[in-house]
Amino acid sequence: MYAAFENAFLTDDGGWKRRDPPTDAQIQCLDASNEVPERIFCGTFGDGLYRSVDSGETWEHVDVATNVMSLTVDPHDPDEVWLGTEPSAVYHSTDGGETWAEKPGLTELPSASEWYFPPRPDTHHTRWIAVDPEDPEHLYVGIEAGALVQTHDKGETWEDRVSTARLDNHTLATHPDAPDRAYSAAGDGYAETHDKGETWTYPQDGLKHRYVWSIAVDSADPDTVLVSSASGARRAHASSNPESYVYRRDNGGTWQQCLEGLPGPDGMIRPVLAAGAAHEFYALTNRGLYRSSDSGEHWHDLGIEWDESLTTQRPRGFACIK
């Protein structure tokens, strides 16, 4: 397993250890595949893409883009990798990250003139890319902020946002046991689709904090969903005085807070969540890495030696290699 903060990188190869990050530039994302677990992709803001083929012992810089905001290894083929940038663009590799090609036309969509990232309002970026578990030609792409767009031919052509989709999509998820379904954690709330993105609904009963950041779905149950959220962007991301929550929704019911054992809400920067084995979840926080074996009802600290510098860093990514 691999975990990334803004300026820190952790690996688990029988025991968690902190390693030197690939660069001094701020880390934005990472991903890896169960099929090639030693190969890691790490995206940064300002210094582009790095790749390791030895579980983070060493890194090589890959010349593709300067600001890499999202990475997704295709679940159908570990040699197919998708990358999103700022300004918004999507790149595709079919050889494990050796070479990359931009998929044109994304910013020619009609809604693109309305896309913007509030802290830097003259730009926007591709925050998340999710591959349909049933159809590798079909991708969901979240733009921060302004749209959730799709492609049904691996980026040869793009379909603009539909009226019911969220606008500020942070994290997207799919599930192999429910291939028509997709889930969105967005700054304007939670959403899900049951028809491959044609329409979206907003089941939010009980979700009192609706600036939603991260999402994870039980690997054994597409009806069990966890999200991290806050009352707004400032409380979610602030290095001082943050306040964040974790919620769970089961079987189409109402959302319930599930914080037992977590170091929050006070002082907790929005966690990055990941699903492990059946009913197992991980929460990467600024105060430690936590695991739940009962779908988030209870959490326990994995006891990693925690450097004080991590308490003010935002968690950026967690790759759960099963």
Side-chain angles (χ1 to χ4, degrees):
M1 291 185 282
Y2 309 109
F5 290 80
E6 291 171 301
N7 300 112
F9 186 77
L10 308 175
T11 66
D12 176 21
D13 51 4
W16 283 95
K17 64 179 68 174
R18 182 169 178 175
R19 297 185 183 274
D20 290 335
T23 173
D24 291 335
Q26 191 178 90
I27 295 172
Q28 290 290 324
C29 52
L30 85 158
D31 203 11
S33 167
N34 286 320
E35 295 183 48
V36 191
E38 68 278 5
R39 187 170 64 199
I40 317 166
F41 299 91
C42 179
T44 75
F45 190 89
D47 198 20
L49 176 66
Y50 283 80
R51 182 180 64 166
S52 173
V53 295
D54 54 13
S55 302
E57 290 279 354
T58 61
W59 295 90
E60 60 177 326
H61 187 261
V62 181
D63 186 16
V64 56
T66 301
N67 301 320
V68 178
M69 308 299 289
S70 54
L71 286 163
T72 298
V73 179
D74 191 322
H76 305 274
D77 181 350
D79 286 333
E80 291 208 34
V81 189
W82 294 91
L83 178 153
T85 66
E86 178 178 313
S88 293
V90 171
Y91 292 80
H92 183 212
S93 174
T94 59
D95 55 12
E98 291 286 344
T99 60
W100 295 85
E102 183 179 357
K103 293 300 183 178
L106 181 66
T107 54
E108 295 173 12
L109 290 168
S111 71
S113 62
E114 302 172 20
W115 303 352
Y116 73 101
F117 180 54
R120 299 187 289 275
D122 57 340
T123 190
H124 44 77
H125 52 244
T126 307
R127 171 56 73 185
W128 203 271
I129 303 171
V131 181
D132 186 323
E134 186 177 56
D135 176 10
E137 301 273 327
H138 179 209
L139 277 68
Y140 302 91
V141 176
I143 304 296
E144 189 179 26
L148 195 165
V149 305
Q150 299 182 66
T151 176
H152 288 271
D153 53 16
K154 289 192 174 181
E156 296 303 313
T157 60
W158 296 97
E159 298 177 6
D160 208 348
R161 67 192 186 194
V162 297
S163 61
T164 51
R166 292 297 191 190
L167 296 180
D168 189 19
N169 299 276
H170 294 142
T171 306
L172 306 172
T174 61
H175 199 287
D177 294 337
D180 290 344
R181 198 179 306 184
Y183 316 76
S184 173
D188 45 341
Y190 174 80
E192 62 184 48
T193 177
H194 291 250
D195 55 12
K196 290 186 179 287
E198 295 300 313
T199 60
W200 294 80
T201 59
Y202 313 141
Q204 297 194 115
D205 288 349
L207 187 63
K208 297 179 180 178
H209 304 86
R210 296 188 177 179
Y211 180 87
V212 189
W213 181 256
S214 186
I215 190 167
V217 185
D218 192 326
S219 61
D221 180 8
D223 290 322
T224 298
V225 184
L226 268 64
V227 298
S228 63
S229 65
S231 59
R234 188 177 300 275
R235 299 309 296 272
H237 302 298
S239 58
S240 61
N241 198 33
E243 181 184 88
S244 297
Y245 297 79
V246 173
Y247 285 84
R248 183 185 68 250
R249 182 171 181 258
D250 298 316
N251 300 314
T254 60
W255 292 94
Q256 305 289 331
Q257 286 186 21
C258 50
L259 292 166
E260 185 174 335
L262 289 175
D266 294 341
M268 185 168 69
I269 298 172
R270 80 296 179 278
V272 169
L273 305 175
H279 316 308
E280 178 186 55
F281 289 87
Y282 292 88
L284 180 64
T285 82
N286 58 312
R287 294 184 172 183
L289 176 60
Y290 293 78
R291 176 181 176 271
S292 172
S293 58
D294 55 9
S295 299
E297 289 213 28
H298 307 87
W299 299 88
H300 69 268
D301 189 342
L302 291 185
I304 304 170
E305 185 176 348
W306 211 248
D307 190 285
E308 183 66 22
S309 67
L310 297 179
T311 63
T312 57
Q313 289 198 39
R314 300 177 185 92
R316 288 301 192 188
F318 187 85
C320 185
I321 305 301
K322 304 169 188 175

